[in-house]
Amino acid sequence: MRKPLKILMLLTALLPLSVFSSTSISFEPVNYQALPDWDCGDQMYAYQALQISCKVILKNTNYNRDWINSCQNILSTPAHTDRRAREMLEKNFTPYLVRYDDKAEGLFTGYYAPAIAGSLYRSAEFSVPIYRTPKDLIQKKTGSGTQFGRMVDGKLIPYYTREEIAKNNYLSKKDVIVWVRSRIERTFLQIQGSGRIELENGDSILVGYDSQNGHPYRPIGRYLIENGLMPRNEITMQSIKTWLYDHPEEADKVLNYDPSFVFFRTLSHGNPIGAQGVPLTPGYSIAIDSKFYQYGTPVWLSSSYHKPNQKIHKLDRLLIAQDTGGAIRGAIRGDVFWGSGSDAEFYAGHMKNLGKMFVLLPKSNALNFVSND
């Protein structure tokens, strides 16, 4: 049996270099039969999502020749059945079980695109702004990532926190895309990263993540647990929302626990746009930690989820890494995009389960020379 750590250096051309700054991550080569329910999976929809990603990959110089070759093959070969999709994936990709700190399991959650009422004009009912990226927000690329802030007396200082933005009139009306009813709705729109604002005249505006204020994301569910306001086993997106609406005098304090703040842009596509810059496919797109994986990477997730009024169900499915998020940190961590509507909201709000993650990487001739010692 091949030892997973033996192949790390051979994979440096396929994964971001930042992965290899730590020896705690390993990729164990497996055959496709090791992927639970691979032979009966619905890979066709994921294959179509992969084709969308491949169009972007072919234009991106950060992907190596193996990625280019695989994507050219994928784009030149349509797959109208799950079986044909499996054949093409098996021909072009090799599966690896991801281990991190000697563990093969990690946390998997879900997100969706909420639909909330709003208005293009401020009123007593719609008084909370959804902001576009303000002009004074500076995003400076550094060796360790992106530094956010604003210039004061020639120095770059941290940008306003969520609390500062809420309490002060720092941003102008020109920075407002649309108005919604409450800070609670805005906060959950920011957590999801995209959504549809339904206007009073029947029209709607699709908004998606554009940038953020640079402060670290802190989940408000943690605040409720640590302060004894809700038991851990009752924490879901829906229960948190209910608690906030039931405790209006304490809601702002809880919301301000998270200093991060998201700015949006309007979208013209039918589905929200992920961090890769492509429309997300409901049920087949996943947000990953981009420090570990390149966008477009196929991921076989073996986890579980809940259906309304039913027990927990297995989730063995191929998804495509097309997005990321502030709370998605780690090599075995993912956030499944469920789409929009009441079912998607339920799936996303109740998904917080352990699972295994297999990544499918483009085949490389170098892997044929790995020692079997």
Side-chain angles (χ1 to χ4, degrees):
M1 178 179 178
R2 288 178 288 179
K3 297 178 181 179
L5 291 179
K6 291 259 186 181
I7 68 168
L8 279 180
M9 295 311 297
L10 297 176
L11 292 176
T12 55
L14 302 177
L15 292 169
L17 290 177
S18 60
V19 170
F20 303 97
S21 62
S22 171
T23 58
S24 60
I25 185 174
S26 66
F27 298 85
E28 177 183 333
V30 298
N31 58 42
Y32 278 95
Q33 297 308 310
L35 279 56
D37 289 335
W38 170 260
D39 287 338
C40 56
D42 51 353
Q43 291 93 333
M44 182 183 69
Y45 296 108
Y47 188 90
Q48 294 169 353
L50 176 60
Q51 289 182 311
I52 297 173
S53 284
C54 277
K55 292 178 182 179
V56 176
I57 289 173
L58 293 182
K59 300 176 183 179
N60 193 322
T61 59
N62 291 326
Y63 291 81
N64 77 332
R65 175 50 55 183
D66 296 313
W67 266 108
I68 300 302
N69 291 341
S70 294
C71 274
Q72 287 175 338
N73 293 337
I74 295 297
L75 285 172
S76 64
T77 309
H80 300 300
T81 66
D82 294 325
R83 180 177 179 179
R84 184 55 176 154
R86 284 195 292 272
E87 290 174 352
M88 285 300 297
L89 291 164
E90 291 172 4
K91 181 179 179 180
N92 288 277
F93 294 87
T94 299
Y96 297 86
L97 171 64
V98 182
R99 294 185 183 275
Y100 192 72
D101 288 337
D102 294 327
K103 297 179 180 179
E105 283 194 327
L107 178 65
F108 294 91
T109 52
Y111 67 116
Y112 79 113
I116 58 179
S119 173
L120 294 175
Y121 307 99
R122 183 173 184 174
S123 65
E125 181 179 7
F126 300 105
S127 60
V128 176
I130 301 297
Y131 290 113
R132 59 174 52 88
T133 300
K135 292 184 178 180
D136 65 340
L137 175 63
I138 295 175
Q139 304 178 54
K140 181 180 179 182
K141 296 291 184 180
T142 67
S144 58
T146 303
Q147 184 178 4
F148 298 84
R150 58 190 180 92
M151 296 300 296
V152 176
D153 296 330
K155 295 182 179 180
L156 185 65
I157 66 172
Y159 203 75
Y160 306 114
T161 65
R162 175 182 298 275
E163 184 174 7
E164 289 172 332
I165 292 173
K167 287 185 175 181
N168 301 282
N169 192 23
Y170 291 131
L171 306 182
S172 69
K173 291 183 179 179
K174 294 181 180 180
D175 296 317
V176 178
I177 298 175
V178 68
W179 303 85
V180 296
R181 286 193 175 103
S182 75
R183 288 189 63 200
I184 298 172
E185 290 181 337
R186 181 175 68 185
T187 295
F188 279 89
L189 176 66
Q190 292 175 323
I191 292 172
Q192 301 305 317
S194 61
R196 190 172 298 279
I197 312 300
E198 299 179 339
L199 304 178
E200 297 167 292
N201 63 1
D203 292 337
S204 65
I205 300 174
L206 183 64
V207 296
Y209 174 95
D210 188 47
S211 63
Q212 52 112 349
N213 61 351
H215 292 273
Y217 169 74
R218 293 198 298 180
I220 57 178
R222 180 192 303 165
Y223 179 93
L224 295 174
I225 294 170
E226 292 179 349
N227 288 274
L229 300 174
M230 283 189 66
R232 183 181 298 274
N233 62 353
E234 293 183 8
I235 288 288
T236 65
M237 179 179 65
Q238 288 83 356
S239 67
I240 294 173
K241 276 187 178 181
T242 298
W243 190 97
L244 291 169
Y245 281 118
D246 288 345
H247 300 81
E249 294 181 357
E250 301 174 70
D252 282 348
K253 184 177 181 180
V254 176
L255 295 176
N256 290 337
Y257 172 77
D258 177 21
S260 68
F261 193 91
V262 170
F263 301 105
F264 292 90
R265 60 189 173 102
T266 57
L267 304 174
S268 58
H269 300 270
N271 285 324
I273 304 297
Q276 191 187 17
V278 301
L280 301 176
T281 301
Y284 296 92
S285 295
I286 187 171
I288 43 76
D289 189 339
S290 59
K291 292 181 180 178
F292 291 91
Y293 306 105
Q294 290 177 292
Y295 294 125
T297 300
V299 174
W300 185 261
L301 174 60
S302 183
S303 184
S304 57
Y305 72 112
H306 289 79
K307 288 186 176 181
N309 302 319
Q310 296 186 37
K311 294 182 179 180
I312 195 167
H313 283 249
K314 289 173 57 180
L315 181 63
D316 293 311
R317 182 179 297 183
L318 184 68
L319 306 104
I320 309 302
Q322 296 175 321
D323 203 4
T324 191
I328 312 305
R329 295 290 180 264
I332 312 178
R333 178 74 174 92
D335 208 21
V336 177
F337 176 67
W338 287 107
S340 59
S342 58
D343 283 349
E345 180 180 4
F346 185 91
Y347 299 155
H350 290 82
M351 186 174 179
K352 191 175 183 181
N353 303 315
L354 295 177
K356 292 184 178 180
M357 181 173 172
F358 301 81
V359 293
L360 278 57
L361 300 178
K363 288 187 176 180
S364 168
N365 290 331
L367 296 180
N368 294 328
F369 298 95
V370 176
S371 170
N372 291 317
D373 294 344

